[in-house]
Amino acid sequence: DIQMTQSPSSLSASVGDRVTITCQASQDISNYLNWYQQKLGKAPKVLIHDASNLETGVPSRFSGGGSGTHFTLTITSLQPEDFAIYYCQHYEKGRPSLTFGGGTRVET
Amino acid sequence: EVQLVESGGGLVQPGGSLRLSCVASGFTFSSRAMTWVRQAPGKGLEWISSLGRNGDDTYYADSVRGRFTISRDNSKNTLYLQMNSLIAEDTAIYFCAKDTWWVTSWGQGTLVTVSS
């Protein structure tokens, strides 16, 4: 089974900072990688699909990159509403099966 | 606006059963695959099951295969999760979710607590 490893597990940042979160796959997953944001007590929200495609309505300060085994989520200028937990998620096209990373908590 | 509303959670003893329901609106339910994801208290997200548009294709995580059954009633715009032989490790918020490759919409979740 493919494992998804996120780093760091938590980070401390300030408004205006540039933040980068990394997701490593245990084997080549092409670009089958999505990113979600989850705020406390809320359901997750998809930010980026297929590694780099921004979902409609998501601010352009969010961006995703990478392919194969190494992926990144970058927030170029952290805003107060961005303090949350971020998850990467791999999917397998052949059979629906989602694998989430362990999450990265972005806190002040 | 897409809405997914789960119900059916609660406190159940180990070995017991529960059936979760998720009523969908705001999109053509019968044309979309659906998914259940859970989150144990203070933990990360775990995919547990997905279901094709017509209900024939079902997929399960190893942790629930043989104990949980996903199904749907397209005439009622409703997704189900029948959970049997529940164990403490099944304690979590269960989210109903639209689509499978990436989840485009989520319900608010329903809490299942397995405890004696």
Side-chain angles (χ1 to χ4, degrees):
Chain A
D1 290 355
I2 295 172
Q3 308 298 320
M4 308 301 299
T5 303
Q6 280 184 244
S7 61
S9 56
S10 66
L11 64 90
S12 181
S14 300
V15 172
D17 284 352
R18 179 185 180 93
V19 170
T20 298
I21 298 167
T22 297
C23 184
Q24 188 90 16
S26 59
Q27 59 185 272
D28 190 337
I29 61 170
S30 183
N31 68 332
Y32 301 152
L33 190 285
N34 310 312
W35 290 98
Y36 299 84
Q37 176 194 66
Q38 186 179 30
K39 297 183 179 180
L40 187 64
K42 302 292 187 182
K45 168 189 169 185
V46 63
L47 300 174
I48 289 168
H49 69 88
D50 291 336
S52 60
N53 294 286
L54 202 65
E55 287 288 313
T56 302
V58 174
S60 59
R61 62 181 180 273
F62 291 92
S63 65
S67 65
T69 62
H70 185 83
F71 301 86
T72 57
L73 172 69
T74 299
I75 310 171
T76 52
S77 178
L78 196 69
Q79 297 301 299
E81 61 268 30
D82 300 336
F83 291 100
I85 300 176
Y86 294 85
Y87 294 94
C88 64
Q89 172 248 311
H90 162 59
Y91 66 95
E92 298 187 30
K93 271 199 169 183
R95 56 181 184 92
S97 169
L98 311 183
T99 305
F100 290 92
T104 297
R105 182 185 301 272
V106 175
E107 54 195 359
T108 184
Chain B
E1 179 194 3
V2 172
Q3 281 202 312
L4 300 169
V5 180
E6 303 96 334
S7 62
L11 175 64
V12 61
Q13 292 189 337
S17 298
L18 276 179
R19 188 175 84 153
L20 306 184
S21 300
C22 169
V23 177
S25 60
F27 65 101
T28 305
F29 180 73
S30 60
S31 69
R32 307 306 285 252
M34 298 294 292
T35 292
W36 288 99
V37 174
R38 70 183 180 185
Q39 187 169 36
K43 302 297 184 182
L45 301 167
E46 179 189 14
W47 170 79
I48 56 173
S49 186
S50 292
L51 177 69
R53 291 174 292 180
N54 60 13
D56 288 346
D57 299 322
T58 59
Y59 307 88
Y60 299 95
D62 290 344
S63 59
V64 305
R65 185 176 293 113
R67 300 188 299 122
F68 290 12
T69 302
I70 191 172
S71 62
R72 65 193 298 162
D73 185 338
N74 287 341
S75 69
K76 296 181 178 179
N77 285 358
T78 302
L79 178 72
Y80 301 101
L81 186 68
Q82 177 66 44
M83 304 186 297
N84 298 331
S85 303
L86 284 161
I87 59 177
E89 290 73 22
D90 295 321
T91 294
I93 296 172
Y94 285 73
F95 293 102
C96 166
K98 173 172 161 282
D99 296 318
T100 53
W101 292 345
W102 63 90
V103 174
T104 53
S105 297
W106 302 69
Q108 83 288 350
T110 187
L111 177 62
V112 172
T113 303
V114 184
S115 175
S116 56

